[in-house]
Amino acid sequence: MDEHEKDNLRLLKNLNIGYVNPVNVNLLCPICRLPLLNPIATPCGHTFCEECILSALEISNNCPYDRKEIKCEEFKKVDRLILNILNELEIYCPNKMNGCPHICQRQFLYEHYHHCEYELVECPHSLCHQKVIKKELQEHSNQCDYKEIECEFCKKIYLQKDKMKHIKNCEEFEKAESSVKEDLIIECKYKKFGCLWQDKLKLVEEHEKSCKYHQFEGFFENVYTKNQRQLETENSELKRKIYQLTDEITELRRELDIYKNNNMVIQQQQAVSESMAELENEVQLLKCDMQNTNLTLNDLEMRYNMMVIDENIRLKEEIQSLRTSFQSIQFQMLSFMKYIKGTLQNNGIGPSFTKPILNQKNNDGSNTSPSTSFLPATYNSSKLIKSASANFDSPTTTSTTTSAANTMNDLFKNYNFPTSAATTTTSHTYSKSDVGTTTTTYDTIRRERRFSKI
Ligand SMILES: [Zn+2]
Ligand SMILES: [Zn+2]
Ligand SMILES: [Zn+2]
Ligand SMILES: [Zn+2]
Ligand SMILES: [Zn+2]
Ligand SMILES: [Zn+2]
């Protein structure tokens, strides 16, 4: 920071600065709530005026913004861009209250301020103490009551306000020639109140008779003069207050604008939250619909499952009934084979004669049934089933079936019958109790049909 910047900063710190436009909140110091002066960044990412944060650190080692611990050594300079934005903020001349209309960038305050014609300065006459703006200093100084004047006759020093008094008492003036005395130019003693009269000394008495100010002599001498300084002080104080109030009004207007904007934002937020609520309601309704649909789906699924279970039970029952039919057919077959065996033995014909008959039946795959000519006229199937059931009264269906099938195989072996593919498949399938497959069901049905004509 160069000297000029330091001087400028000092002015900005010590004077009451008014900003022309509202300053972005991000450029305000969180401590003094004013636009940042000589900003500095903490490690936690917050920015303060250097002076503000240093005085805050004297009280506590925590960041005033988020209470994180901070150390001066860790402070960083802020970005040049931020500094430029701060430097270019427009401000009023601090002498605005004295009438200065100047507006400038913050960084150029020093240049203007030290040449500002509206700066208040004290009257150079030691006894005066009055403050006047620079612009009017010369004029005031010339008219100042306390201006020291050297008497042109006695060379003594008197105050301007005492000119008449001195002249009247000046011994050297008395001694002077009458022409000189008469030609001495003198001003009305009420000049400072506004009387512009000035003329030769001999005409003073004549003027005083007609001077309006002279007629209020008592007022000016006693009341006005005594109170003038006080009134002037009060006046400047009031001016100061007016400017402060103007600044406050500007600030309040700015806050009101922000408030109005916030209000608008709040209204918008309300509108948004209302539409959100509507949407939520719709979502809720949709959820209800979804639940209803799910319930319906579950219901349908349950019904479908029930249907499937019913169908399964029905199929199982059907399979069971088919199995029972098959068993009964096997029993019939067994009885039939016994019957054939008995018949063949009785007729003295060897088992080889039966081969072509059985082969024909098993190989052509059609529904051709064996000839019924072997059956005697007295053949009674129900009797045969009953007798066969007595032999195969096993506890489980599977074992019954298996034993029945095995018995049949044994029978075929004993009689040297070729075991056909269909029989083997059936035997194998039933031994595994695999009755659920379509093939087996189909085979069983075919077999049942094949033997139903017996
Ligand atoms: Zn600050
Ligand atoms: Zn912080
Ligand atoms: Zn100025
Ligand atoms: Zn003065
Ligand atoms: Zn004199
Ligand atoms: Zn006068």
Side-chain angles (χ1 to χ4, degrees):
M1 196 188 286
D2 60 27
E3 279 307 308
H4 162 259
E5 279 176 321
K6 278 182 189 168
D7 290 337
N8 203 54
L9 185 67
R10 205 178 312 117
L11 282 182
L12 290 169
K13 269 182 198 168
N14 298 329
L15 295 170
N16 186 20
I17 305 293
Y19 288 81
V20 178
N21 299 308
V23 179
N24 187 303
V25 283
N26 295 309
L27 297 175
L28 300 181
C29 165
I31 297 173
C32 63
R33 303 301 300 161
L34 291 172
L36 290 157
L37 276 183
N38 194 22
I40 241 169
T42 60
C44 53
H46 297 112
T47 312
F48 304 92
C49 312
E50 188 183 37
E51 201 179 80
C52 291
I53 190 66
L54 289 180
S55 47
L57 277 181
E58 286 171 14
I59 301 162
S60 151
N61 279 334
N62 301 98
C63 167
Y65 201 90
D66 58 9
R67 314 308 304 162
K68 282 187 184 160
E69 201 180 319
I70 46 171
K71 290 173 191 159
C72 322
E73 306 88 65
E74 293 169 343
F75 287 170
K76 285 174 282 182
K77 287 265 161 208
V78 299
D79 203 83
R80 188 74 227 171
L81 180 73
I82 305 291
L83 291 178
N84 288 345
I85 292 172
L86 285 166
N87 283 339
E88 286 169 13
L89 288 173
E90 282 192 319
I91 56 167
Y92 294 110
C93 170
N95 294 321
K96 189 190 172 196
M97 63 183 75
N98 302 324
C100 180
H102 189 79
I103 287 174
C104 66
Q105 288 187 0
R106 205 172 84 162
Q107 58 184 328
F108 301 130
L109 175 64
Y110 185 80
E111 281 90 331
H112 166 76
Y113 193 72
H114 281 276
H115 300 105
C116 180
E117 289 287 280
Y118 292 85
E119 200 190 348
L120 280 180
V121 283
E122 204 162 297
C123 172
H125 306 302
S126 54
L127 291 168
C128 178
H129 304 302
Q130 198 179 327
K131 281 186 175 176
V132 286
I133 57 172
K134 259 189 203 170
K135 201 177 153 186
E136 294 165 356
L137 184 63
Q138 196 56 46
E139 198 186 339
H140 166 82
S141 183
N142 289 337
Q143 296 173 5
C144 182
D145 283 345
Y146 300 93
K147 186 182 175 183
E148 292 169 340
I149 293 168
E150 190 189 57
C151 175
E152 54 186 292
F153 304 101
C154 67
K155 307 295 175 194
K156 282 183 185 165
I157 304 292
Y158 60 88
L159 295 177
Q160 185 155 259
K161 67 182 177 91
D162 299 330
K163 188 176 181 179
M164 279 298 285
K165 211 191 278 178
H166 178 81
I167 293 293
K168 280 176 185 170
N169 300 319
C170 184
E171 290 168 8
E172 295 301 315
F173 181 71
E174 282 297 317
K175 289 175 196 168
E177 290 175 25
S178 59
S179 62
V180 176
K181 283 188 205 171
E182 282 170 7
D183 288 344
L184 179 75
I185 298 294
I186 203 139
E187 291 155 346
C188 175
K189 63 176 175 182
Y190 299 111
K191 188 191 173 186
K192 62 178 176 182
F193 302 124
C195 184
L196 298 172
W197 181 89
Q198 59 175 42
D199 216 327
K200 290 174 183 172
L201 183 63
K202 61 177 181 181
L203 297 172
V204 166
E205 280 181 31
E206 200 180 315
H207 168 71
E208 280 179 356
K209 284 174 193 163
S210 63
C211 180
K212 285 168 189 167
Y213 296 91
H214 194 74
Q215 287 161 15
F216 293 99
E217 193 179 2
F219 170 76
F220 284 118
E221 289 300 324
N222 301 319
V223 184
Y224 187 91
T225 311
K226 278 180 190 168
N227 292 335
Q228 188 186 16
R229 199 156 296 170
Q230 192 189 337
L231 286 169
E232 275 170 2
T233 320
E234 270 179 30
N235 191 24
S236 60
E237 190 58 33
L238 286 171
K239 266 189 189 171
R240 200 177 292 272
K241 277 185 181 166
I242 285 170
Y243 281 109
Q244 273 180 5
L245 286 171
T246 315
D247 281 351
E248 274 175 30
I249 287 169
T250 318
E251 182 66 19
L252 285 172
R253 281 220 179 103
R254 196 174 66 83
E255 279 176 17
L256 188 69
D257 282 348
I258 293 171
Y259 175 75
K260 276 182 187 165
N261 283 342
N262 283 349
N263 234 10
M264 264 172 66
V265 170
I266 287 168
Q267 279 173 359
Q268 282 171 353
Q269 278 176 348
Q270 274 175 352
V272 168
S273 55
E274 274 168 21
S275 50
M276 277 287 285
E278 276 174 27
L279 281 173
E280 265 173 23
N281 276 343
E282 274 177 35
V283 168
Q284 211 60 42
L285 286 174
L286 284 172
K287 271 186 188 167
C288 282
D289 280 359
M290 276 280 286
Q291 277 173 355
N292 286 341
T293 313
N294 273 346
L295 284 176
T296 318
L297 268 174
N298 283 345
D299 193 40
L300 281 173
E301 205 177 317
M302 258 173 63
R303 281 190 202 177
Y304 175 75
N305 283 344
M306 288 298 287
M307 268 170 65
V308 168
I309 289 167
D310 283 352
E311 186 69 14
N312 260 344
I313 291 169
R314 198 185 62 75
L315 284 172
K316 273 183 186 165
E317 280 171 1
E318 207 173 311
I319 287 163
Q320 193 58 44
S321 93
L322 286 173
R323 193 180 283 156
T324 317
S325 306
F326 180 67
Q327 280 173 11
S328 105
I329 288 159
Q330 276 181 329
F331 300 150
Q332 283 180 32
M333 264 294 280
L334 196 64
S335 308
F336 182 63
M337 293 305 288
K338 276 182 183 170
Y339 171 75
I340 288 173
K341 189 186 166 192
T343 313
L344 289 174
Q345 278 172 351
N346 289 341
N347 293 340
I349 303 164
S352 58
F353 283 95
T354 59
K355 265 186 195 172
I357 300 164
L358 286 166
N359 279 346
Q360 187 195 357
K361 182 195 81 177
N362 287 319
N363 291 335
D364 63 5
S366 67
N367 286 335
T368 320
S369 58
S371 169
T372 51
S373 59
F374 292 109
L375 293 173
T378 56
Y379 177 74
N380 189 333
S381 61
S382 61
K383 263 187 193 172
L384 284 169
I385 291 164
K386 274 177 193 166
S387 63
S389 297
N391 294 333
F392 295 93
D393 197 17
S394 301
T396 61
T397 316
T398 315
S399 60
T400 310
T401 319
T402 316
S403 58
N406 287 342
T407 316
M408 273 184 75
N409 282 339
D410 289 346
L411 207 67
F412 280 120
K413 273 182 206 160
N414 289 341
Y415 288 92
N416 201 15
F417 286 156
T419 48
S420 72
T423 318
T424 315
T425 312
T426 313
S427 167
H428 170 73
T429 312
Y430 275 82
S431 69
K432 282 187 167 182
S433 301
D434 194 7
V435 292
T437 59
T438 319
T439 325
T440 320
T441 314
Y442 175 71
D443 280 348
T444 317
I445 292 165
R446 230 171 49 173
R447 200 161 301 278
E448 191 188 29
R449 277 188 196 155
R450 201 180 292 156
F451 289 103
S452 64
K453 289 181 181 173
I454 297 172

